[in-house]
Amino acid sequence: LLDALDSYFREDIISNGDNTPNAWGANASNRNSNSNSSSTTESTKKEMKQFVQMDSLPPVLLLQLKRFNYDKRRGTAVKIHRKIDYPEILKLKEEYFSRDLVEKLTSQMQESTSASKKNGVSKIHANYKLCGVVLHHGESSTSGHYTAIVAGADSFKHESAATASSSTTYFHLDDIKCTKRNICHSNKSK
């Protein structure tokens, strides 16, 4: 999960240096040219950056991972069977946040200077505690069965996301069947 988040928030370079069509479907220099003109102009070499940043922190963070790829040979979506590890405490990095959000969080942190000094906080981050996971059982995107593993209500009563215990009670929900599970997490985060 941590690698997937790093990949999602990573800055991509979009280059138009090889005269390939840009995102608008036309060469950059031809975008403003007269459509009746028969002359062709060499495209301007451009390099753009594309990235995603968070502008606010939601009270509950929902993540959905694409677990299917389209297989051209088969003509259908095929399930990705790669194991995904996820921490009980997800620590979002400052690099994921917009400049405005970093400024807002820095200001909030300075208002509570005693807490930041006590905890030795030097970088901005946000912690989210794992509430549940939805699982797909099956081989294709058009069939299968969904179940869920959710944290018990007791895990949220007296714990903040920053001080979660290493063992939380979870429940596996499968239609009308509910099974109690104790899952231990290492709480290691990058």
Side-chain angles (χ1 to χ4, degrees):
L1 179 63
L2 300 174
D3 291 339
L5 286 171
D6 284 341
S7 177
Y8 180 74
F9 286 104
R10 184 176 303 127
E11 184 178 272
D12 290 326
I13 304 294
I14 301 171
S15 178
N16 194 25
D18 57 356
N19 293 337
T20 57
N22 62 23
W24 294 276
N27 288 336
S29 61
N30 294 334
R31 191 175 319 138
N32 296 323
S33 66
N34 185 343
S35 60
N36 296 329
S37 172
S38 59
S39 66
T40 58
T41 322
E42 188 177 320
S43 293
T44 307
K45 292 185 179 184
K46 293 194 178 231
E47 185 174 280
M48 297 175 276
K49 295 178 182 179
Q50 171 182 301
F51 56 92
V52 175
Q53 291 181 322
M54 297 179 76
D55 287 326
S56 63
L57 296 175
V60 176
L61 180 67
L62 301 174
L63 301 175
Q64 180 176 348
L65 303 177
K66 180 182 170 192
R67 301 295 291 159
F68 296 93
N69 271 339
Y70 185 75
D71 185 340
K72 290 180 184 177
R73 188 175 48 85
R74 295 187 203 174
T76 187
V78 177
K79 187 171 181 178
I80 300 168
H81 289 281
R82 182 175 171 211
K83 180 183 174 190
I84 302 291
D85 291 319
Y86 40 88
E88 187 172 10
I89 303 300
L90 178 61
K91 186 175 187 177
L92 296 181
K93 302 175 191 174
E94 180 179 342
E95 294 82 36
Y96 301 164
F97 307 151
S98 68
R99 193 174 307 140
D100 290 342
L101 181 57
V102 169
E103 288 174 10
K104 179 182 174 184
L105 294 173
T106 302
S107 173
Q108 290 174 355
M109 198 169 79
Q110 287 171 347
E111 288 174 11
S112 61
T113 54
S114 61
S116 62
K117 284 180 183 175
K118 187 173 104 178
N119 296 328
V121 175
S122 61
K123 283 202 120 194
I124 303 295
H125 63 274
N127 292 340
Y128 285 91
K129 182 171 179 168
L130 181 66
C131 298
V133 178
V134 176
L135 307 167
H136 177 264
H137 307 274
E139 290 299 315
S140 77
S141 62
T142 58
S143 66
H145 180 68
Y146 286 93
T147 64
I149 298 175
V150 296
D154 290 346
S155 67
F156 298 101
K157 284 187 179 173
H158 301 290
E159 295 183 48
S160 71
T163 61
S165 65
S166 61
S167 179
T168 301
T169 301
Y170 287 90
F171 295 91
H172 183 224
L173 308 173
D174 185 356
D175 292 335
I176 61 171
K177 186 178 175 184
C178 179
T179 310
K180 185 177 179 180
R181 293 193 174 182
N182 289 321
I183 300 174
C184 292
H185 293 272
S186 64
N187 278 341
K188 292 179 184 172
S189 62
K190 294 180 180 177

